[in-house]
Amino acid sequence: VAPAGETCPWFWLLLKPLPETLVQSHPAVTLKHWKQICTLLSSPAATTASALCKQLLRLVLISNTLCASVIQKLGAPLVTDASERQLVYSFATLVPAVTAMAAVLQAAHEGSTQEQTAEGAEQASATAQKCLDHLKELFDMAWAHPSVKVVQAAVSSAQNLLQNPACLDLCRVIVPGLVDAIATEPPKIALPAMEHAWGIFPTLLAAQSQTGDAKLVKSSTQLLLQ
């Protein structure tokens, strides 16, 4: 992987539906190497605010592309075994990209008090906001999906994200819609997936407790109790 400030001549491959296409026929191998690619793309190679913004932009572009694809699939009128399988694999492909994006976004926030200027941090945050909006839309659609398998795939994806320290800020994107889906009468979420969905909350609180951020844990607990 080229440094964040340099041109990556092969980067256009990641803008095509390459991971999503391959994962349908070779899921285990594709996901293994896709996770490695996302980890490399989020490695702390950027040494300037400009390079970090470029690194973040790449990951936002990938995540946005995958989000748009999943949203399109979630909105399909017919649910078949094939469409369920595609969505399960799509969620599995999305998680490494969003995790990588969140890690670089966190680095941008931390750098704002060190080497970067406040303006650079704001630029990085603004770049990722559209992707976070898409991610919220995606999970809100997933909670109400009629397929239990798809809901369970969304729950597993949310758990994988929220247990990662770099992704804890995503609780503001994922959790409110889930709370609404569970608390609404009748629940928006499929009843057979309800127990699985409740498992997200202890995962979130355990991950937040490990950070030592008592304020974050308190705010999440209050959200769940309301």
Side-chain angles (χ1 to χ4, degrees):
V1 177
E6 298 180 7
T7 301
C8 296
W10 49 267
F11 186 70
W12 66 271
L13 287 171
L14 300 179
L15 306 184
K16 302 292 182 180
L18 184 62
E20 276 198 307
T21 302
L22 288 178
V23 78
Q24 304 299 329
S25 53
H26 306 288
V29 174
T30 301
L31 288 174
K32 174 185 175 181
H33 292 290
W34 178 239
K35 290 176 182 177
Q36 293 175 344
I37 289 172
C38 290
T39 299
L40 288 171
L41 287 173
S42 63
S43 60
T47 56
T48 65
S50 175
L52 187 61
C53 285
K54 290 180 181 179
Q55 185 180 19
L56 179 60
L57 178 61
R58 291 171 184 166
L59 289 164
V60 168
L61 194 57
I62 294 170
S63 298
N64 259 333
T65 300
L66 294 174
C67 275
S69 177
V70 177
I71 289 173
Q72 183 180 21
K73 290 182 174 70
L74 287 169
L78 297 177
V79 179
T80 64
D81 290 343
S83 66
E84 283 183 334
R85 185 167 57 253
Q86 288 179 354
L87 275 166
V88 169
Y89 289 150
S90 294
F91 271 106
T93 306
L94 177 66
V95 169
V98 173
T99 301
M101 181 193 71
V104 176
L105 183 59
Q106 184 182 65
H109 285 312
E110 292 174 350
S112 65
T113 59
Q114 299 172 9
E115 297 179 0
Q116 294 186 51
T117 63
E119 182 179 355
E122 289 178 2
Q123 181 182 2
S125 298
T127 305
Q129 186 56 51
K130 183 177 180 181
C131 184
L132 296 180
D133 292 342
H134 284 166
L135 198 63
K136 182 181 185 304
E137 178 185 359
L138 184 155
F139 277 105
D140 287 350
M141 291 177 67
W143 305 139
H145 199 274
S147 167
V148 174
K149 289 182 180 179
V150 171
V151 176
Q152 290 176 335
V155 169
S156 296
S157 298
Q159 286 179 318
N160 287 334
L161 289 170
L162 295 176
Q163 70 186 5
N164 189 311
C167 298
L168 289 181
D169 281 346
L170 295 181
C171 68
R172 299 177 177 85
V173 175
I174 297 172
V175 174
L178 177 59
V179 172
D180 178 69
I182 292 175
T184 300
E185 289 293 343
K188 297 178 183 178
I189 198 166
L191 290 178
M194 184 73 75
E195 182 176 355
H196 194 193
W198 272 105
I200 288 179
F201 302 125
T203 298
L204 170 63
L205 294 176
Q208 290 179 343
S209 297
Q210 292 177 359
T211 67
D213 190 339
K215 185 177 180 180
L216 184 60
V217 175
K218 181 179 179 180
S219 63
S220 297
T221 303
Q222 289 176 338
L223 173 63
L224 300 179
L225 293 176
Q226 288 176 351

